[in-house]
Amino acid sequence: TGRKKTRPLNATEVYAKKYYATRVQPAVKEELEAMKDVADAPAPKKRAIRVVRKQLASCWENESAEVKEEVTR
């Protein structure tokens, strides 16, 4: 079998898989739109990855205990 071994996802990765479209993406889009007009903003791909990571961490921190428990199960 040529399958590569995979590691289990951490809690924020599971959260992202489950809730990205509904809870994280709107904030990411909003921030990217705001950054579009900034003169010294980083390259678009780097900027997008930074914003996604930042917003994902922020949403996870502000999430309810029930959702965190569901994700970590």
Short mmCIF file of all heavy atoms in Angstrom, two decimals:
data_model
loop_
_atom_site.label_atom_id
_atom_site.label_comp_id
_atom_site.label_asym_id
_atom_site.label_seq_id
_atom_site.Cartn_x
_atom_site.Cartn_y
_atom_site.Cartn_z
N THR A 1 0.85 -1.18 0.00
CA THR A 1 0.00 0.00 0.00
C THR A 1 0.89 1.24 0.00
O THR A 1 1.73 1.40 0.85
CB THR A 1 -0.92 0.03 1.23
OG1 THR A 1 -0.12 -0.05 2.39
CG2 THR A 1 -1.94 -1.09 1.21
N GLY A 2 0.65 2.12 -0.94
CA GLY A 2 1.43 3.33 -1.06
C GLY A 2 0.81 4.50 -0.35
O GLY A 2 1.17 5.64 -0.62
N ARG A 3 -0.13 4.23 0.55
CA ARG A 3 -0.78 5.35 1.25
C ARG A 3 0.16 6.00 2.23
O ARG A 3 0.88 5.34 2.96
CB ARG A 3 -2.00 4.86 2.00
CG ARG A 3 -3.21 4.75 1.09
CD ARG A 3 -4.45 4.51 1.86
NE ARG A 3 -4.58 5.51 2.93
CZ ARG A 3 -5.63 5.64 3.67
NH1 ARG A 3 -6.66 4.86 3.50
NH2 ARG A 3 -5.70 6.55 4.63
N LYS A 4 0.13 7.31 2.24
CA LYS A 4 0.95 8.09 3.16
C LYS A 4 0.26 8.14 4.52
O LYS A 4 -0.95 8.30 4.59
CB LYS A 4 1.07 9.49 2.57
CG LYS A 4 2.18 10.31 3.11
CD LYS A 4 2.34 11.54 2.24
CE LYS A 4 2.46 12.75 3.11
NZ LYS A 4 2.55 13.99 2.36
N LYS A 5 1.03 7.99 5.57
CA LYS A 5 0.44 8.09 6.91
C LYS A 5 0.05 9.53 7.16
O LYS A 5 0.77 10.46 6.82
CB LYS A 5 1.43 7.64 7.97
CG LYS A 5 1.65 6.16 7.97
CD LYS A 5 2.44 5.73 9.16
CE LYS A 5 2.58 4.24 9.13
NZ LYS A 5 3.20 3.71 10.33
N THR A 6 -1.12 9.71 7.76
CA THR A 6 -1.57 11.06 8.07
C THR A 6 -1.67 11.24 9.57
O THR A 6 -1.91 10.28 10.30
CB THR A 6 -2.95 11.34 7.44
OG1 THR A 6 -3.88 10.38 7.94
CG2 THR A 6 -2.90 11.25 5.93
N ARG A 7 -1.49 12.45 9.99
CA ARG A 7 -1.61 12.74 11.42
C ARG A 7 -3.05 13.15 11.70
O ARG A 7 -3.73 13.65 10.81
CB ARG A 7 -0.64 13.84 11.84
CG ARG A 7 -0.96 15.18 11.19
CD ARG A 7 -0.05 16.27 11.74
NE ARG A 7 -0.28 17.53 11.07
CZ ARG A 7 -1.32 18.33 11.25
NH1 ARG A 7 -2.27 18.00 12.08
NH2 ARG A 7 -1.43 19.47 10.59
N PRO A 8 -3.51 12.97 12.92
CA PRO A 8 -4.86 13.43 13.24
C PRO A 8 -4.91 14.97 13.19
O PRO A 8 -3.92 15.63 13.49
CB PRO A 8 -5.11 12.93 14.66
CG PRO A 8 -3.82 12.37 15.14
CD PRO A 8 -2.85 12.31 14.01
N LEU A 9 -6.06 15.49 12.81
CA LEU A 9 -6.22 16.94 12.75
C LEU A 9 -6.29 17.52 14.15
O LEU A 9 -6.86 16.89 15.05
CB LEU A 9 -7.52 17.30 12.00
CG LEU A 9 -7.60 16.87 10.55
CD1 LEU A 9 -8.98 17.19 9.99
CD2 LEU A 9 -6.54 17.55 9.71
N ASN A 10 -5.75 18.71 14.32
CA ASN A 10 -5.90 19.35 15.63
C ASN A 10 -7.27 20.03 15.70
O ASN A 10 -7.99 20.10 14.70
CB ASN A 10 -4.74 20.30 15.94
CG ASN A 10 -4.68 21.50 15.05
OD1 ASN A 10 -5.72 22.01 14.60
ND2 ASN A 10 -3.49 21.99 14.77
N ALA A 11 -7.62 20.55 16.85
CA ALA A 11 -8.97 21.08 17.07
C ALA A 11 -9.32 22.21 16.11
O ALA A 11 -10.42 22.24 15.56
CB ALA A 11 -9.11 21.55 18.52
N THR A 12 -8.39 23.13 15.87
CA THR A 12 -8.73 24.25 14.98
C THR A 12 -8.88 23.79 13.53
O THR A 12 -9.67 24.35 12.79
CB THR A 12 -7.68 25.39 15.05
OG1 THR A 12 -6.39 24.85 14.87
CG2 THR A 12 -7.75 26.13 16.36
N GLU A 13 -8.15 22.74 13.15
CA GLU A 13 -8.30 22.20 11.78
C GLU A 13 -9.66 21.53 11.61
O GLU A 13 -10.31 21.69 10.58
CB GLU A 13 -7.17 21.22 11.48
CG GLU A 13 -5.82 21.89 11.35
CD GLU A 13 -4.65 20.92 11.33
OE1 GLU A 13 -4.76 19.82 11.90
OE2 GLU A 13 -3.61 21.28 10.76
N VAL A 14 -10.10 20.81 12.63
CA VAL A 14 -11.43 20.19 12.59
C VAL A 14 -12.49 21.29 12.54
O VAL A 14 -13.44 21.23 11.76
CB VAL A 14 -11.66 19.27 13.82
CG1 VAL A 14 -13.08 18.75 13.86
CG2 VAL A 14 -10.67 18.12 13.81
N TYR A 15 -12.31 22.31 13.37
CA TYR A 15 -13.23 23.45 13.39
C TYR A 15 -13.30 24.10 12.01
O TYR A 15 -14.38 24.40 11.51
CB TYR A 15 -12.75 24.46 14.45
CG TYR A 15 -13.55 25.73 14.51
CD1 TYR A 15 -14.81 25.74 15.10
CD2 TYR A 15 -13.06 26.91 13.98
CE1 TYR A 15 -15.56 26.91 15.16
CE2 TYR A 15 -13.80 28.08 14.04
CZ TYR A 15 -15.05 28.07 14.63
OH TYR A 15 -15.79 29.23 14.69
N ALA A 16 -12.14 24.30 11.39
CA ALA A 16 -12.11 24.92 10.06
C ALA A 16 -12.85 24.07 9.03
O ALA A 16 -13.62 24.59 8.22
CB ALA A 16 -10.66 25.14 9.62
N LYS A 17 -12.63 22.77 9.06
CA LYS A 17 -13.33 21.88 8.12
C LYS A 17 -14.84 21.98 8.28
O LYS A 17 -15.58 22.00 7.31
CB LYS A 17 -12.91 20.42 8.34
CG LYS A 17 -11.68 20.01 7.60
CD LYS A 17 -11.49 18.52 7.78
CE LYS A 17 -10.49 17.92 6.86
NZ LYS A 17 -10.82 17.89 5.48
N LYS A 18 -15.27 22.07 9.52
CA LYS A 18 -16.69 22.02 9.81
C LYS A 18 -17.40 23.37 9.66
O LYS A 18 -18.52 23.44 9.17
CB LYS A 18 -16.88 21.50 11.23
CG LYS A 18 -18.23 20.95 11.52
CD LYS A 18 -18.20 20.14 12.80
CE LYS A 18 -19.45 19.32 12.88
NZ LYS A 18 -19.47 18.44 14.01
N TYR A 19 -16.73 24.45 10.08
CA TYR A 19 -17.41 25.74 10.19
C TYR A 19 -16.81 26.87 9.34
O TYR A 19 -17.27 27.99 9.44
CB TYR A 19 -17.42 26.20 11.66
CG TYR A 19 -18.22 25.31 12.56
CD1 TYR A 19 -17.60 24.50 13.51
CD2 TYR A 19 -19.61 25.26 12.47
CE1 TYR A 19 -18.33 23.68 14.34
CE2 TYR A 19 -20.35 24.46 13.30
CZ TYR A 19 -19.71 23.66 14.23
OH TYR A 19 -20.44 22.86 15.05
N TYR A 20 -15.80 26.59 8.54
CA TYR A 20 -15.15 27.68 7.79
C TYR A 20 -16.15 28.50 6.98
O TYR A 20 -16.19 29.71 7.09
CB TYR A 20 -14.04 27.14 6.87
CG TYR A 20 -13.36 28.25 6.11
CD1 TYR A 20 -12.38 29.00 6.72
CD2 TYR A 20 -13.73 28.58 4.82
CE1 TYR A 20 -11.77 30.06 6.07
CE2 TYR A 20 -13.13 29.63 4.15
CZ TYR A 20 -12.14 30.36 4.78
OH TYR A 20 -11.56 31.40 4.12
N ALA A 21 -16.95 27.84 6.17
CA ALA A 21 -17.85 28.55 5.26
C ALA A 21 -18.87 29.42 5.99
O ALA A 21 -19.20 30.52 5.53
CB ALA A 21 -18.58 27.56 4.35
N THR A 22 -19.33 28.97 7.13
CA THR A 22 -20.39 29.71 7.81
C THR A 22 -19.89 30.73 8.83
O THR A 22 -20.52 31.76 9.03
CB THR A 22 -21.35 28.75 8.55
OG1 THR A 22 -20.60 27.93 9.44
CG2 THR A 22 -22.11 27.88 7.56
N ARG A 23 -18.75 30.47 9.47
CA ARG A 23 -18.33 31.34 10.57
C ARG A 23 -17.05 32.11 10.31
O ARG A 23 -16.89 33.20 10.84
CB ARG A 23 -18.19 30.51 11.85
CG ARG A 23 -19.50 29.86 12.20
CD ARG A 23 -19.44 29.13 13.48
NE ARG A 23 -20.72 28.45 13.69
CZ ARG A 23 -21.04 27.81 14.77
NH1 ARG A 23 -20.21 27.74 15.76
NH2 ARG A 23 -22.22 27.23 14.88
N VAL A 24 -16.13 31.54 9.56
CA VAL A 24 -14.83 32.18 9.38
C VAL A 24 -14.76 32.97 8.07
O VAL A 24 -14.29 34.09 8.04
CB VAL A 24 -13.69 31.12 9.42
CG1 VAL A 24 -12.33 31.78 9.29
CG2 VAL A 24 -13.78 30.30 10.70
N GLN A 25 -15.27 32.38 7.00
CA GLN A 25 -15.14 32.99 5.67
C GLN A 25 -15.68 34.41 5.56
O GLN A 25 -15.03 35.26 4.96
CB GLN A 25 -15.79 32.08 4.63
CG GLN A 25 -15.44 32.46 3.21
CD GLN A 25 -15.96 31.44 2.21
OE1 GLN A 25 -16.99 30.81 2.44
NE2 GLN A 25 -15.25 31.29 1.12
N PRO A 26 -16.86 34.72 6.15
CA PRO A 26 -17.34 36.11 6.05
C PRO A 26 -16.35 37.13 6.63
O PRO A 26 -16.12 38.18 6.02
CB PRO A 26 -18.64 36.09 6.84
CG PRO A 26 -19.10 34.67 6.78
CD PRO A 26 -17.84 33.86 6.79
N ALA A 27 -15.72 36.80 7.75
CA ALA A 27 -14.75 37.71 8.37
C ALA A 27 -13.49 37.82 7.50
O ALA A 27 -12.92 38.90 7.37
CB ALA A 27 -14.39 37.22 9.77
N VAL A 28 -13.08 36.71 6.90
CA VAL A 28 -11.91 36.71 6.03
C VAL A 28 -12.16 37.60 4.82
O VAL A 28 -11.34 38.45 4.47
CB VAL A 28 -11.55 35.27 5.57
CG1 VAL A 28 -10.51 35.29 4.46
CG2 VAL A 28 -11.05 34.45 6.75
N LYS A 29 -13.32 37.43 4.19
CA LYS A 29 -13.66 38.24 3.01
C LYS A 29 -13.68 39.72 3.35
O LYS A 29 -13.16 40.55 2.61
CB LYS A 29 -15.01 37.82 2.44
CG LYS A 29 -14.95 36.55 1.64
CD LYS A 29 -16.29 36.24 0.99
CE LYS A 29 -16.17 35.04 0.09
NZ LYS A 29 -17.43 34.71 -0.57
N GLU A 30 -14.26 40.04 4.49
CA GLU A 30 -14.35 41.44 4.92
C GLU A 30 -12.96 42.05 5.12
O GLU A 30 -12.68 43.15 4.65
CB GLU A 30 -15.15 41.49 6.24
CG GLU A 30 -15.52 42.87 6.67
CD GLU A 30 -16.36 42.82 7.94
OE1 GLU A 30 -17.41 42.13 7.95
OE2 GLU A 30 -15.96 43.49 8.91
N GLU A 31 -12.08 41.31 5.78
CA GLU A 31 -10.74 41.84 6.03
C GLU A 31 -9.94 41.96 4.74
O GLU A 31 -9.21 42.93 4.54
CB GLU A 31 -9.99 40.97 7.04
CG GLU A 31 -8.67 41.58 7.43
CD GLU A 31 -8.01 40.92 8.62
OE1 GLU A 31 -8.68 40.22 9.39
OE2 GLU A 31 -6.79 41.13 8.77
N LEU A 32 -10.05 40.97 3.85
CA LEU A 32 -9.33 41.04 2.58
C LEU A 32 -9.81 42.22 1.73
O LEU A 32 -9.01 42.88 1.08
CB LEU A 32 -9.47 39.73 1.80
CG LEU A 32 -8.66 38.55 2.36
CD1 LEU A 32 -8.99 37.28 1.59
CD2 LEU A 32 -7.17 38.83 2.31
N GLU A 33 -11.11 42.48 1.75
CA GLU A 33 -11.65 43.63 1.02
C GLU A 33 -11.06 44.92 1.58
O GLU A 33 -10.68 45.81 0.82
CB GLU A 33 -13.18 43.68 1.14
CG GLU A 33 -13.89 42.74 0.20
CD GLU A 33 -13.65 43.07 -1.27
OE1 GLU A 33 -13.73 44.25 -1.66
OE2 GLU A 33 -13.36 42.12 -2.02
N ALA A 34 -10.98 45.03 2.89
CA ALA A 34 -10.44 46.23 3.53
C ALA A 34 -8.96 46.41 3.21
O ALA A 34 -8.49 47.54 3.05
CB ALA A 34 -10.65 46.16 5.03
N MET A 35 -8.23 45.31 3.08
CA MET A 35 -6.78 45.38 2.82
C MET A 35 -6.46 45.67 1.36
O MET A 35 -5.34 46.04 1.05
CB MET A 35 -6.11 44.06 3.23
CG MET A 35 -6.06 43.83 4.71
SD MET A 35 -5.35 42.24 5.09
CE MET A 35 -3.60 42.63 5.05
N LYS A 36 -7.42 45.47 0.48
CA LYS A 36 -7.18 45.63 -0.95
C LYS A 36 -6.64 47.02 -1.29
O LYS A 36 -5.81 47.17 -2.17
CB LYS A 36 -8.47 45.37 -1.73
CG LYS A 36 -8.23 44.63 -3.01
CD LYS A 36 -9.43 44.56 -3.91
CE LYS A 36 -10.63 43.90 -3.29
NZ LYS A 36 -11.72 43.71 -4.24
N ASP A 37 -7.11 48.03 -0.59
CA ASP A 37 -6.75 49.41 -0.90
C ASP A 37 -5.53 49.91 -0.13
O ASP A 37 -5.09 51.03 -0.35
CB ASP A 37 -7.94 50.33 -0.62
CG ASP A 37 -9.17 49.90 -1.43
OD1 ASP A 37 -8.98 49.44 -2.57
OD2 ASP A 37 -10.29 50.04 -0.93
N VAL A 38 -4.99 49.09 0.77
CA VAL A 38 -3.83 49.51 1.56
C VAL A 38 -2.58 49.43 0.69
O VAL A 38 -2.32 48.42 0.04
CB VAL A 38 -3.68 48.62 2.82
CG1 VAL A 38 -2.45 48.99 3.61
CG2 VAL A 38 -4.92 48.72 3.68
N ALA A 39 -1.80 50.48 0.70
CA ALA A 39 -0.63 50.57 -0.18
C ALA A 39 0.48 49.57 0.15
O ALA A 39 1.04 48.95 -0.74
CB ALA A 39 -0.07 51.98 -0.14
N ASP A 40 0.79 49.39 1.43
CA ASP A 40 1.93 48.52 1.79
C ASP A 40 1.50 47.11 2.19
O ASP A 40 2.21 46.42 2.91
CB ASP A 40 2.74 49.17 2.92
CG ASP A 40 1.94 49.35 4.19
OD1 ASP A 40 0.69 49.29 4.12
OD2 ASP A 40 2.55 49.54 5.25
N ALA A 41 0.37 46.65 1.69
CA ALA A 41 -0.12 45.30 2.01
C ALA A 41 0.79 44.25 1.36
O ALA A 41 1.34 44.48 0.29
CB ALA A 41 -1.54 45.13 1.51
N PRO A 42 0.95 43.08 1.99
CA PRO A 42 1.78 42.03 1.40
C PRO A 42 1.14 41.46 0.13
O PRO A 42 0.00 41.77 -0.20
CB PRO A 42 1.85 40.98 2.50
CG PRO A 42 0.77 41.31 3.46
CD PRO A 42 0.43 42.75 3.29
N ALA A 43 1.88 40.60 -0.57
CA ALA A 43 1.38 39.97 -1.79
C ALA A 43 0.06 39.26 -1.52
O ALA A 43 -0.14 38.73 -0.43
CB ALA A 43 2.42 38.98 -2.31
N PRO A 44 -0.86 39.22 -2.50
CA PRO A 44 -2.20 38.66 -2.27
C PRO A 44 -2.23 37.27 -1.67
O PRO A 44 -3.00 37.02 -0.75
CB PRO A 44 -2.81 38.66 -3.67
CG PRO A 44 -2.11 39.77 -4.38
CD PRO A 44 -0.71 39.78 -3.83
N LYS A 45 -1.39 36.34 -2.13
CA LYS A 45 -1.43 34.97 -1.57
C LYS A 45 -0.98 34.96 -0.12
O LYS A 45 -1.60 34.32 0.73
CB LYS A 45 -0.58 34.02 -2.40
CG LYS A 45 -1.24 33.62 -3.69
CD LYS A 45 -0.47 32.56 -4.42
CE LYS A 45 -1.19 32.20 -5.70
NZ LYS A 45 -0.53 31.16 -6.44
N LYS A 46 0.12 35.65 0.18
CA LYS A 46 0.59 35.71 1.57
C LYS A 46 -0.44 36.38 2.46
O LYS A 46 -0.70 35.95 3.57
CB LYS A 46 1.91 36.50 1.64
CG LYS A 46 3.10 35.73 1.17
CD LYS A 46 4.35 36.54 1.40
CE LYS A 46 5.57 35.79 0.92
NZ LYS A 46 6.80 36.55 1.10
N ARG A 47 -1.02 37.44 1.94
CA ARG A 47 -2.03 38.20 2.70
C ARG A 47 -3.22 37.29 3.01
O ARG A 47 -3.68 37.25 4.14
CB ARG A 47 -2.45 39.41 1.88
CG ARG A 47 -3.54 40.22 2.49
CD ARG A 47 -3.80 41.48 1.70
NE ARG A 47 -4.18 41.18 0.33
CZ ARG A 47 -3.86 41.93 -0.72
NH1 ARG A 47 -3.15 43.01 -0.58
NH2 ARG A 47 -4.26 41.60 -1.92
N ALA A 48 -3.68 36.55 2.02
CA ALA A 48 -4.85 35.68 2.22
C ALA A 48 -4.58 34.62 3.28
O ALA A 48 -5.41 34.39 4.15
CB ALA A 48 -5.25 35.03 0.90
N ILE A 49 -3.43 34.00 3.22
CA ILE A 49 -3.11 32.95 4.20
C ILE A 49 -3.03 33.53 5.60
O ILE A 49 -3.56 32.97 6.55
CB ILE A 49 -1.80 32.23 3.81
CG1 ILE A 49 -2.05 31.40 2.56
CG2 ILE A 49 -1.31 31.35 4.95
CD1 ILE A 49 -0.81 30.83 1.93
N ARG A 50 -2.38 34.69 5.73
CA ARG A 50 -2.28 35.35 7.04
C ARG A 50 -3.66 35.68 7.60
O ARG A 50 -3.93 35.45 8.77
CB ARG A 50 -1.49 36.65 6.93
CG ARG A 50 -0.01 36.44 6.90
CD ARG A 50 0.68 37.79 6.98
NE ARG A 50 2.05 37.63 6.52
CZ ARG A 50 2.77 38.60 5.97
NH1 ARG A 50 2.26 39.80 5.83
NH2 ARG A 50 3.99 38.38 5.59
N VAL A 51 -4.51 36.23 6.74
CA VAL A 51 -5.84 36.64 7.18
C VAL A 51 -6.66 35.42 7.60
O VAL A 51 -7.33 35.43 8.63
CB VAL A 51 -6.56 37.46 6.09
CG1 VAL A 51 -8.02 37.67 6.43
CG2 VAL A 51 -5.87 38.79 5.89
N VAL A 52 -6.60 34.36 6.81
CA VAL A 52 -7.35 33.13 7.14
C VAL A 52 -6.89 32.59 8.49
O VAL A 52 -7.71 32.27 9.35
CB VAL A 52 -7.20 32.06 6.04
CG1 VAL A 52 -7.71 30.72 6.52
CG2 VAL A 52 -7.94 32.48 4.79
N ARG A 53 -5.59 32.50 8.69
CA ARG A 53 -5.08 31.98 9.97
C ARG A 53 -5.50 32.85 11.14
O ARG A 53 -5.90 32.35 12.19
CB ARG A 53 -3.56 31.87 9.92
CG ARG A 53 -3.08 30.72 9.08
CD ARG A 53 -1.59 30.57 9.14
NE ARG A 53 -1.16 29.42 8.34
CZ ARG A 53 0.00 29.34 7.75
NH1 ARG A 53 0.88 30.33 7.85
NH2 ARG A 53 0.32 28.28 7.05
N LYS A 54 -5.40 34.17 10.95
CA LYS A 54 -5.76 35.09 12.03
C LYS A 54 -7.25 35.00 12.35
O LYS A 54 -7.63 34.91 13.52
CB LYS A 54 -5.40 36.52 11.61
CG LYS A 54 -5.63 37.54 12.70
CD LYS A 54 -5.19 38.91 12.27
CE LYS A 54 -6.42 39.69 11.89
NZ LYS A 54 -6.16 41.03 11.42
N GLN A 55 -8.09 35.01 11.34
CA GLN A 55 -9.53 34.96 11.56
C GLN A 55 -9.96 33.60 12.13
O GLN A 55 -10.86 33.54 12.97
CB GLN A 55 -10.30 35.25 10.26
CG GLN A 55 -10.18 36.68 9.80
CD GLN A 55 -10.80 37.66 10.78
OE1 GLN A 55 -11.61 37.33 11.63
NE2 GLN A 55 -10.40 38.91 10.65
N LEU A 56 -9.32 32.54 11.68
CA LEU A 56 -9.63 31.21 12.21
C LEU A 56 -9.32 31.16 13.70
O LEU A 56 -10.15 30.70 14.49
CB LEU A 56 -8.85 30.14 11.45
CG LEU A 56 -9.11 28.70 11.84
CD1 LEU A 56 -10.58 28.34 11.66
CD2 LEU A 56 -8.25 27.77 11.01
N ALA A 57 -8.16 31.66 14.08
CA ALA A 57 -7.78 31.68 15.50
C ALA A 57 -8.75 32.54 16.30
O ALA A 57 -9.19 32.15 17.40
CB ALA A 57 -6.36 32.20 15.66
N SER A 58 -9.13 33.68 15.74
CA SER A 58 -10.05 34.58 16.42
C SER A 58 -11.42 33.94 16.61
O SER A 58 -12.00 33.99 17.70
CB SER A 58 -10.17 35.87 15.61
OG SER A 58 -11.17 36.69 16.14
N CYS A 59 -11.94 33.34 15.55
CA CYS A 59 -13.26 32.68 15.64
C CYS A 59 -13.22 31.53 16.64
O CYS A 59 -14.16 31.34 17.41
CB CYS A 59 -13.69 32.17 14.26
SG CYS A 59 -14.15 33.48 13.13
N TRP A 60 -12.14 30.75 16.63
CA TRP A 60 -12.01 29.63 17.56
C TRP A 60 -11.99 30.13 19.00
O TRP A 60 -12.66 29.58 19.87
CB TRP A 60 -10.74 28.83 17.24
CG TRP A 60 -10.45 27.74 18.22
CD1 TRP A 60 -9.44 27.69 19.11
CD2 TRP A 60 -11.19 26.52 18.40
NE1 TRP A 60 -9.50 26.52 19.84
CE2 TRP A 60 -10.55 25.79 19.42
CE3 TRP A 60 -12.33 25.98 17.80
CZ2 TRP A 60 -11.01 24.55 19.86
CZ3 TRP A 60 -12.78 24.73 18.24
CH2 TRP A 60 -12.13 24.03 19.25
N GLU A 61 -11.25 31.19 19.26
CA GLU A 61 -11.18 31.75 20.62
C GLU A 61 -12.54 32.23 21.10
O GLU A 61 -12.86 32.10 22.28
CB GLU A 61 -10.19 32.93 20.66
CG GLU A 61 -8.74 32.52 20.62
CD GLU A 61 -8.35 31.60 21.77
OE1 GLU A 61 -8.67 31.92 22.93
OE2 GLU A 61 -7.74 30.56 21.49
N ASN A 62 -13.34 32.79 20.20
CA ASN A 62 -14.64 33.35 20.58
C ASN A 62 -15.78 32.34 20.50
O ASN A 62 -16.93 32.69 20.74
CB ASN A 62 -14.96 34.56 19.69
CG ASN A 62 -13.97 35.68 19.90
OD1 ASN A 62 -13.55 35.94 21.02
ND2 ASN A 62 -13.56 36.32 18.83
N GLU A 63 -15.46 31.11 20.17
CA GLU A 63 -16.50 30.10 19.99
C GLU A 63 -17.02 29.63 21.35
O GLU A 63 -16.32 29.70 22.35
CB GLU A 63 -15.91 28.91 19.19
CG GLU A 63 -16.94 28.03 18.55
CD GLU A 63 -17.93 28.78 17.68
OE1 GLU A 63 -17.57 29.19 16.57
OE2 GLU A 63 -19.08 28.95 18.12
N SER A 64 -18.25 29.14 21.35
CA SER A 64 -18.86 28.67 22.60
C SER A 64 -18.21 27.37 23.07
O SER A 64 -17.62 26.63 22.29
CB SER A 64 -20.35 28.43 22.39
OG SER A 64 -20.55 27.32 21.53
N ALA A 65 -18.36 27.10 24.35
CA ALA A 65 -17.80 25.89 24.94
C ALA A 65 -18.40 24.64 24.32
O ALA A 65 -17.72 23.62 24.13
CB ALA A 65 -18.01 25.89 26.44
N GLU A 66 -19.70 24.70 23.96
CA GLU A 66 -20.36 23.54 23.36
C GLU A 66 -19.71 23.18 22.03
O GLU A 66 -19.47 22.00 21.75
CB GLU A 66 -21.85 23.80 23.14
CG GLU A 66 -22.66 24.03 24.40
CD GLU A 66 -22.65 25.48 24.84
OE1 GLU A 66 -22.81 26.38 24.00
OE2 GLU A 66 -22.46 25.71 26.05
N VAL A 67 -19.46 24.18 21.21
CA VAL A 67 -18.87 23.92 19.90
C VAL A 67 -17.44 23.39 20.07
O VAL A 67 -17.04 22.43 19.41
CB VAL A 67 -18.88 25.18 19.01
CG1 VAL A 67 -18.07 24.98 17.74
CG2 VAL A 67 -20.31 25.57 18.67
N LYS A 68 -16.68 23.99 20.98
CA LYS A 68 -15.32 23.52 21.22
C LYS A 68 -15.32 22.06 21.68
O LYS A 68 -14.50 21.26 21.25
CB LYS A 68 -14.61 24.39 22.25
CG LYS A 68 -14.20 25.74 21.70
CD LYS A 68 -13.43 26.54 22.72
CE LYS A 68 -12.98 27.84 22.13
NZ LYS A 68 -12.18 28.64 23.06
N GLU A 69 -16.26 21.72 22.54
CA GLU A 69 -16.35 20.35 23.03
C GLU A 69 -16.71 19.40 21.89
O GLU A 69 -16.13 18.33 21.76
CB GLU A 69 -17.40 20.25 24.13
CG GLU A 69 -17.43 18.87 24.78
CD GLU A 69 -18.52 18.76 25.83
OE1 GLU A 69 -18.69 19.72 26.61
OE2 GLU A 69 -19.20 17.71 25.86
N GLU A 70 -17.65 19.81 21.03
CA GLU A 70 -18.06 18.99 19.90
C GLU A 70 -16.88 18.75 18.96
O GLU A 70 -16.68 17.64 18.48
CB GLU A 70 -19.18 19.72 19.14
CG GLU A 70 -19.61 19.02 17.87
CD GLU A 70 -20.49 19.90 17.02
OE1 GLU A 70 -21.22 20.76 17.56
OE2 GLU A 70 -20.43 19.74 15.79
N VAL A 71 -16.09 19.77 18.73
CA VAL A 71 -14.94 19.67 17.81
C VAL A 71 -13.83 18.80 18.39
O VAL A 71 -13.21 18.05 17.67
CB VAL A 71 -14.42 21.08 17.46
CG1 VAL A 71 -13.06 21.03 16.81
CG2 VAL A 71 -15.40 21.80 16.56
N THR A 72 -13.61 18.89 19.69
CA THR A 72 -12.51 18.14 20.30
C THR A 72 -12.86 16.69 20.60
O THR A 72 -11.99 15.92 20.98
CB THR A 72 -12.00 18.83 21.58
OG1 THR A 72 -13.10 19.04 22.46
CG2 THR A 72 -11.34 20.14 21.27
N ARG A 73 -14.10 16.31 20.46
CA ARG A 73 -14.51 14.92 20.69
C ARG A 73 -13.87 14.00 19.69
O ARG A 73 -13.67 14.27 18.57
CB ARG A 73 -16.01 14.76 20.60
CG ARG A 73 -16.61 14.72 21.97
CD ARG A 73 -18.04 14.31 21.93
NE ARG A 73 -18.84 15.53 22.06
CZ ARG A 73 -19.97 15.75 21.39
NH1 ARG A 73 -20.42 14.88 20.54
NH2 ARG A 73 -20.64 16.84 21.57
#
